[in-house]
Amino acid sequence: MKRFLLFAAVCTAGVLWAARVSLDGGTLIVPEPGGGARLDCRARNGEITFPFNPVKPGYAEVVLPRPLPLGIFRSARIAAKVRVPAGSPVRSMSLRLLDRNREVFQYVSKADFARGGEFEVVWQVKPEQFQLCWGGDANRVFDMPGSVLGFAFDFAGGAPASSLTLLALDIDTEAPPVRELPGDKALLPLYRFDRDELFRQRGGQGLIVQQPDGVLLKDIKGEFIITERRNELLPLRGRPAALILDAEVRQGELTAFAILRDAKGVPFTTPELRLQREGAPLQFDLGAILEEAVLPVKMDNIFFRNSAAANGKVLLKSAALRTVLPAAEALELEVETGTPVHVLRKGGEAALALRFTNRSEKAGNFVSTSFTRISTGPG
């Protein structure tokens, strides 16, 4: 008996490994009465220098060209490596994060910059333990997912012209545990990204290249959207609790998210998570997102966003669903054809006939079934 296993799946923990983020620039804003000076600063050899003139005490803001997605996180360690000249008037640096409603949250890290040189400024972030917040819906609650808006630093006055140079930025986030849904759970394969699964571009700018070890998305500028190359999207089994994507970034700074649709066509969007160069799989929590979805749900589109100046490139290896299965869907059925060409003989259609009997006292509906594993005869 020969069996064909249609997919391979990968599982992951809820931690996103530390990654160095590449930045191509930022805008320096020095607030002043009636307005403020703005200066666009570009990266040179991987470094971004922000010059300022501390005639009197004040502070400066650094706004990134695009917010850096953090996804849904329980805690984060964000470290900025900076360089300042000797006698620097900088007294402290603040990290500024955005929540999904564009409310700004500020976290402070103090250091003695007066001796000059290179420093690592570290923020151990618990979303609810902020110093200040403003803007957005002003509810003082960090509504996930979050992103990095930029930085701020305050300085003493009466000093000569100075500067602060950003050398590197490392981000390490810990995702919350996947929400547990009642019922038996199974890890089901979704995509194996091989030649039997064809994907097409749905929007944005990029190229899809099939490779022996997966699907390579390359030349990604800004946003790139892919979808299954099928006339009708296939419904997913059970109630998905988590989507697990195994992908490896080859170039750029990439994030990903997906849109699913329920039986009524209502869209549900996952959090936007950062893809890792080390290839650590991403886990998207679907439990809360699909709480109001009418089953079955279908995958609609997968979005990739590149925040770097260089074109993005990512290898998609596999995808799986952690799914709550109703009792009927938890059955595994095998069909043996007994023929070398892997088809049923005429008259053998009864091998596919299924009969369901409802022995409970409650009314019930039976949904259509699909086969995910086929056993064939010799050859």
Side-chain angles (χ1 to χ4, degrees):
M1 183 180 294
K2 183 182 292 182
R3 290 176 178 168
F4 293 93
L5 298 180
L6 299 184
F7 303 97
V10 176
C11 190
T12 179
V15 175
L16 300 181
W17 304 106
R20 176 150 294 184
V21 177
S22 156
L23 299 175
D24 53 10
T27 300
L28 178 71
I29 304 173
V30 181
E32 296 175 354
R38 300 175 64 96
L39 178 65
D40 290 330
C41 304
R42 307 298 298 175
R44 293 187 178 182
N45 300 320
E47 302 179 359
I48 311 172
T49 297
F50 301 99
F52 61 98
N53 190 10
V55 175
K56 56 184 179 179
Y59 74 96
E61 304 173 12
V62 174
V63 180
L64 302 181
R66 296 164 295 276
L68 297 174
L70 298 173
I72 297 176
F73 64 96
R74 179 164 53 185
S75 64
R77 180 186 186 275
I78 299 177
K81 187 176 181 180
V82 301
R83 183 176 63 237
V84 295
S88 172
V90 175
R91 295 180 294 196
S92 67
M93 281 190 69
S94 300
L95 172 72
R96 292 181 173 179
L97 304 183
L98 277 177
D99 75 355
R100 74 163 181 260
N101 297 318
R102 301 197 65 78
E103 188 170 1
V104 180
F105 293 80
Q106 179 165 287
Y107 305 83
V108 177
S109 179
K110 293 188 178 295
D112 182 7
F113 295 93
R115 61 181 173 84
E118 295 185 359
F119 300 84
E120 184 180 56
V121 184
V122 178
W123 295 274
Q124 299 285 358
V125 177
K126 297 284 187 182
E128 68 281 2
Q129 297 176 3
F130 53 88
Q131 181 207 28
L132 296 171
C133 65
W134 64 89
D137 60 3
N139 66 353
R140 299 183 61 83
V141 175
F142 199 114
D143 300 304
M144 294 292 176
S147 59
V148 178
L149 173 65
F151 309 92
F153 57 89
D154 70 304
F155 49 83
S162 189
S163 65
L164 183 146
T165 301
L166 180 61
L167 305 176
L169 180 65
D170 293 311
I171 297 177
D172 180 9
T173 58
E174 181 187 5
V178 172
R179 177 181 176 182
E180 290 294 328
L181 299 179
D184 296 330
K185 299 172 183 64
L187 188 66
L188 301 179
L190 178 61
Y191 299 129
R192 58 187 175 187
F193 295 112
D194 65 6
R195 296 186 184 278
D196 291 335
E197 294 175 351
L198 298 178
F199 287 80
R200 63 184 175 87
Q201 179 177 349
R202 189 69 177 268
Q205 188 169 348
L207 294 174
I208 301 175
V209 180
Q210 182 67 59
Q211 294 193 339
D213 53 349
V215 170
L216 181 68
L217 307 182
K218 57 184 292 189
D219 296 339
I220 300 174
K221 293 183 178 180
E223 187 173 82
F224 187 47
I225 311 168
I226 66 170
T227 188
E228 301 176 55
R229 193 189 294 271
R230 294 187 175 120
N231 292 328
E232 181 179 357
L233 298 177
L234 298 180
L236 306 178
R237 294 174 59 192
R239 180 176 290 278
L243 168 64
I244 299 164
L245 176 64
D246 188 14
E248 180 182 338
V249 174
R250 299 287 179 83
Q251 184 173 296
E253 298 295 335
L254 293 168
T255 59
F257 67 95
I259 293 180
L260 302 91
R261 292 187 182 273
D262 71 357
K264 292 186 175 181
V266 177
F268 295 85
T269 303
T270 71
E272 186 174 359
L273 301 183
R274 181 165 42 88
L275 291 159
Q276 309 298 310
R277 290 188 181 276
E278 296 84 359
L282 295 185
Q283 183 163 282
F284 300 85
D285 184 4
L286 302 180
I289 296 170
L290 298 178
E291 188 172 15
E292 303 298 326
V294 179
L295 299 181
V297 297
K298 301 177 181 181
M299 287 292 296
D300 191 357
N301 298 315
I302 306 176
F303 291 71
F304 297 88
R305 288 175 175 168
N306 178 26
S307 60
N311 290 352
K313 183 188 298 184
V314 60
L315 179 67
L316 307 182
K317 300 177 180 179
S318 68
L321 287 172
R322 187 167 174 265
T323 301
V324 178
L325 293 177
E329 291 195 25
L331 293 173
E332 287 193 5
L333 304 176
E334 294 185 2
V335 178
E336 185 176 348
T337 68
T339 66
V341 291
H342 319 315
V343 296
L344 290 172
R345 290 190 176 93
K346 186 176 182 180
E349 294 83 0
L352 292 176
L354 300 175
R355 176 176 296 175
F356 296 95
T357 302
N358 182 7
R359 301 186 184 278
S360 73
E361 297 179 355
K362 297 180 181 179
N365 297 320
F366 295 111
V367 298
S368 61
T369 61
S370 60
F371 296 98
T372 60
R373 180 182 296 169
I374 300 176
S375 300
T376 66

